[in-house]
Amino acid sequence: GHWIWAMLPRRPALSIFSAVFALTNSKRRGTVALWPSVKRELLVAADIAPLLVARLSAPKFPLTVVSDASSTGLGVVAVKRVAGVAPAGTTKAGVNGVVATPVPADAVIPVVASRWRWPEHINVLEFRAAHVALRWVLRHTLPGGVRVPLWSDSSVVVGVLRKGRSCSTALNRRMRALASDLLRADVSVEVDWIESALNPADAPSRS
């Protein structure tokens, strides 16, 4: 429980715990011997403890990155500041999007358009696309941390990034890989949902 509280400022760190939650959900009573997998996860948590810091004063990345995936490819674009964006915290995945009208074409900067090498579940592909978008940001940030606005039309991706972990083994594996990048670079993600019809990364993901 103490580790959970310590990780809340850097929610991606919660992806470390899988066996820990499985043990706590097993509803065993009395003295319980820690599983080897639980011990490994707790040791990893202890190793990354110095990184569990969130700076509210960290600057915001000047562009918003937008990702999308289809069964054939991924697309990532960067968007300049546009009017009509909902205030932070008002978007609800699948219900209320971050924009209500199409993003102007002159505000969109192409970043990546690529085809997949092998098929995977669409939720995993959507998460891979978001990870590619954030890795692009990491190549353009200065040391000292930054807050990155990210838009995705996948309610699953939005939910996993906001929660910091997933009960899906495949998605949590990808979340752990992303958490490694974010914690190392001191990057925080501010993710919002965007309707598929308004997603400027939709076309590149199908090219």
Side-chain angles (χ1 to χ4, degrees), residues 28-34:
R28 300 188 179 189
R29 297 181 179 180
T31 302
V32 178
L34 296 182

Side-chain angles (χ1 to χ4, degrees), residues 18-28 32-43:
S18 182
V20 167
F21 288 126
L23 177 61
T24 56
N25 290 333
S26 64
K27 299 181 181 178
R28 300 188 179 189
V32 178
L34 296 182
W35 303 338
S37 54
V38 170
K39 293 180 181 179
R40 288 195 296 269
E41 291 178 359
L42 291 173
L43 287 173

Side-chain angles (χ1 to χ4, degrees), residues 1-202:
H2 293 296
W3 277 117
I4 301 302
W5 279 105
M7 290 176 173
L8 287 180
R10 300 306 302 270
R11 282 182 172 269
L14 290 170
S15 62
I16 293 172
F17 291 154
S18 182
V20 167
F21 288 126
L23 177 61
T24 56
N25 290 333
S26 64
K27 299 181 181 178
R28 300 188 179 189
R29 297 181 179 180
T31 302
V32 178
L34 296 182
W35 303 338
S37 54
V38 170
K39 293 180 181 179
R40 288 195 296 269
E41 291 178 359
L42 291 173
L43 287 173
V44 171
D47 287 339
I48 68 160
L51 302 178
L52 302 180
V53 178
R55 294 191 305 110
L56 299 179
S57 61
K60 180 171 287 190
F61 193 66
L63 301 172
T64 297
V65 286
V66 190
S67 66
D68 193 24
S70 66
S71 59
T72 57
L74 71 92
V76 175
V77 300
V79 174
K80 302 175 185 177
R81 294 185 182 275
V82 295
V85 175
T90 63
T91 62
K92 184 176 181 180
V95 179
N96 185 28
V98 70
V99 293
T101 57
V103 177
D106 58 357
V108 178
I109 304 171
V111 174
V112 176
S114 178
R115 299 183 69 83
W116 300 116
R117 294 182 180 179
W118 53 79
E120 288 184 285
H121 192 280
I122 187 59
N123 289 340
V124 176
L125 296 179
E126 290 278 11
F127 200 93
R128 286 187 181 276
H131 196 168
V132 169
L134 292 170
R135 279 185 171 176
W136 176 80
V137 172
L138 295 179
R139 294 197 297 268
H140 296 82
T141 58
L142 297 175
V146 69
R147 294 175 294 131
V148 182
L150 170 69
W151 296 349
S152 172
D153 61 11
S154 168
S155 57
V156 172
V157 169
V158 173
V160 171
L161 288 176
R162 286 180 175 176
K163 186 176 181 181
R165 65 178 308 276
S166 174
C167 58
S168 163
T169 301
L171 285 175
N172 203 56
R173 187 181 299 117
R174 299 308 313 165
M175 186 66 230
R176 286 179 175 178
L178 176 58
S180 176
D181 289 335
L182 298 179
L183 292 172
R184 172 176 47 84
D186 191 16
V187 169
S188 299
V189 181
E190 299 175 352
V191 60
D192 280 305
W193 181 76
I194 184 172
E195 293 183 46
S196 296
L198 301 176
N199 190 340
D202 181 75

